[in-house]
Amino acid sequence: MKLSLLPLSVASLLTLASCATEKQTPTLKDHFADDFLIGAAINMNHVKGLDPGSDSIVRRHFNSIVAENCMKCEEIHPAEGTYFWDDADAFVDYGVRNNMAIIGHTLIWHSQLAPWFPVDSTGAYVSADVLKERMRDHITTVMTRYKGKIKGWDVVNEAIEGDGSYRKSPFYEILGEEFIPLAFQYAHEADPDAELYINDYGMNMPAKREAYVRLVNDMKSKGLRVDAIGMQSHMGMDYPDFKEFEESIEAFASTGCNVMITEWDMSALPTISRSANVSDSVVYNTLFNPYPDGLPADIADRWNSRMDSVTDIFLRHKDVITRVTAWGTHDGMSWKNDFPMKGRVEYPLLFDRDCNLKPFMQNRLDNASDRQI
Ligand code: XIL
């Protein structure tokens, strides 16, 4: 029977099962032990045991995890006064059992926001006071539940546009710029021991970079704590500009914050959009899905070479970069297969569909005679 004719769950289990044969090589977490934490986003298939390939990759290679979806507002707080803990609890238990640095993602974000959150029963925006109270309740309740288990939180995600202006999210529309310092204040009050991060995509863009530097310096001058600036780092074959990217690392470090690479992946396909705004989707077009049966060698070589250069950048700045997290484990489970166009066959992660480490990184591990393995 052809794989494509099997029910999806059986087909995906067969695909994923082939991942279990990963060969025993030096590990990423040993390789980068003196540099930064090395993490991966994981989802509920993984946590529930339905993706053994991802499970074996993560337990072997990574020392940090972040929740791909289960801690987002629409998942964890679907209705006012109703929290859904099962998935997030299972995610955190997995991290605790495996002794990982667990990252919470994310508290205040316009995407995957529960629809009820910024509106009243008529659908109109709530008042500033009501929104503040909802933010405080949400942040306090979620952070308190996982106190002592979560190392740090993406407190605010994707608040600024590429041109440096504030994104016109419900939070901004109702509270103005103040929603960001308020979120950090509530988060610090909820768990003073958790690290607090501000996170966004497209962080290489100069106007966005400058806006974040200003914002973080401003929050610090008001006595608020921001521990790291997160650069999502969803990349492609023609972006970001590496010089700009490196200048952003330096600029962010100049605020006194650490820098974290929080959602690293690199599309190997033709670029449709440089944005990682999850609502920016386009309709299917085969032109943008050119390699459904495997990546041609020349494209794979270029992809590996770009990823190698990016790794060099991370290592050059290991004094300020404290974590590098990939947005997934192997290509088969990446969100990029569905974004920004559903149904693409993508190749953006560190491990291929058979759970083999990609050549650029395998070479680094194999050639690292001076590193502890
Ligand atoms: C993505 C998830 O990977 C998808 O499964 C989901 O459908 C949409 O969100 N920036 C972020 C992440 O901060 O939360 C997004 O994750 C990717 C872009």
Side-chain angles (χ1 to χ4, degrees):
M1 189 185 248
K2 275 178 68 185
L3 201 60
S4 57
L5 297 179
L6 290 169
L8 185 61
S9 53
V10 178
S12 57
L13 276 183
L14 288 178
T15 312
L16 297 170
S18 66
C19 288
T21 56
E22 190 224 344
K23 58 182 173 176
Q24 300 295 298
T25 57
T27 69
L28 292 176
K29 66 184 173 198
D30 288 338
H31 185 76
F32 293 114
D34 295 333
D35 307 323
F36 30 68
L37 288 171
I38 183 91
I42 67 172
N43 59 32
M44 291 319 290
N45 277 345
H46 182 137
V47 174
K48 290 179 175 164
L50 300 174
D51 184 354
S54 281
D55 182 43
S56 93
I57 288 174
V58 167
R59 281 187 295 109
R60 182 163 162 70
H61 285 283
F62 292 93
N63 48 27
S64 178
I65 52 170
V66 60
E68 185 174 7
N69 287 303
C70 69
M71 290 182 153
K72 293 173 179 172
C73 183
E74 68 176 6
E75 301 279 338
I76 208 167
H77 198 176
E80 186 163 21
T82 305
Y83 285 89
F84 172 71
W85 299 117
D86 295 6
D87 287 357
D89 283 1
F91 161 78
V92 171
D93 284 350
Y94 177 89
V96 169
R97 262 196 331 273
N98 291 294
N99 205 16
M100 312 237 159
I102 308 171
I103 308 300
H105 175 85
T106 172
L107 294 167
I108 299 295
W109 187 31
H110 69 283
S111 281
Q112 293 173 278
L113 176 65
W116 68 272
F117 204 94
V119 295
D120 63 20
S121 55
T122 71
Y125 276 157
V126 293
S127 68
D129 281 345
V130 169
L131 186 62
K132 282 190 209 171
E133 209 30 60
R134 288 183 182 180
M135 283 172 52
R136 188 201 286 275
D137 166 70
H138 178 79
I139 291 172
T140 309
T141 308
V142 175
M143 287 184 73
T144 304
R145 187 172 183 91
Y146 301 115
K147 225 175 181 153
K149 295 181 174 167
I150 298 259
K151 181 181 172 67
W153 284 91
D154 291 335
V155 178
V156 173
N157 196 26
E158 300 180 357
I160 292 190
E161 301 275 10
D163 64 1
S165 64
Y166 280 79
R167 179 187 295 283
K168 306 299 175 286
S169 70
F171 299 103
Y172 179 82
E173 298 283 13
I174 299 170
L175 289 169
E177 300 177 8
E178 204 49 23
F179 87 88
I180 301 176
L182 278 173
F184 278 81
Q185 180 200 321
Y186 300 152
H188 175 69
E189 288 164 1
D191 184 357
D193 295 326
E195 293 184 357
L196 308 181
Y197 317 135
I198 192 155
N199 193 49
D200 213 325
Y201 63 81
M203 292 296 247
N204 58 294
M205 287 187 273
K208 193 163 192 163
R209 172 205 303 152
E210 279 155 33
Y212 270 108
V213 168
R214 241 189 342 266
L215 170 62
V216 168
N217 281 335
D218 189 49
M219 283 203 281
K220 285 182 172 243
S221 72
K222 290 182 181 143
L224 290 166
R225 189 163 55 80
V226 184
D227 297 291
I229 301 179
M231 302 174 73
Q232 289 186 7
S233 310
H234 296 290
M235 303 179 171
M237 297 294 266
D238 53 2
Y239 70 97
D241 177 288
F242 289 163
K243 187 165 166 286
E244 280 182 5
F245 188 84
E246 203 159 356
E247 281 165 6
S248 289
I249 296 174
E250 285 160 9
F252 294 150
S254 78
T255 65
C257 284
N258 289 321
V259 177
M260 291 180 172
I261 307 302
T262 53
E263 305 185 12
W264 190 28
D265 54 24
M266 183 182 286
S267 170
L269 304 185
T271 299
I272 297 176
S273 151
R274 296 178 176 204
S275 161
N277 189 9
V278 298
S279 57
D280 289 352
S281 60
V282 300
V283 291
Y284 185 81
N285 177 340
T286 40
L287 277 181
F288 289 111
N289 188 25
Y291 315 124
D293 303 319
L295 206 54
D298 58 328
I299 311 280
D301 284 352
R302 268 184 52 220
W303 183 92
N304 275 282
S305 150
R306 282 178 63 75
M307 288 292 276
D308 203 42
S309 304
V310 175
T311 309
D312 282 338
I313 296 177
F314 296 162
L315 288 170
R316 269 206 291 284
H317 297 281
K318 62 183 185 179
D319 53 329
V320 293
I321 294 181
T322 49
R323 173 169 59 94
V324 172
T325 290
W327 200 245
T329 50
H330 59 80
D331 289 341
M333 60 70 77
S334 167
W335 77 301
K336 296 291 287 181
N337 291 300
D338 285 323
F339 177 86
M341 193 181 90
K342 258 197 181 326
R344 294 220 278 188
V345 179
E346 256 287 15
Y347 307 86
L349 288 171
L350 294 175
F351 292 83
D352 67 19
R353 282 176 169 71
D354 295 323
C355 299
N356 294 313
L357 192 54
K358 303 265 177 90
F360 85 96
M361 192 57 95
Q362 188 63 58
N363 289 341
R364 284 181 176 263
L365 268 51
D366 291 343
N367 297 332
S369 51
D370 55 334
R371 287 183 176 242
Q372 265 210 314
I373 52 172

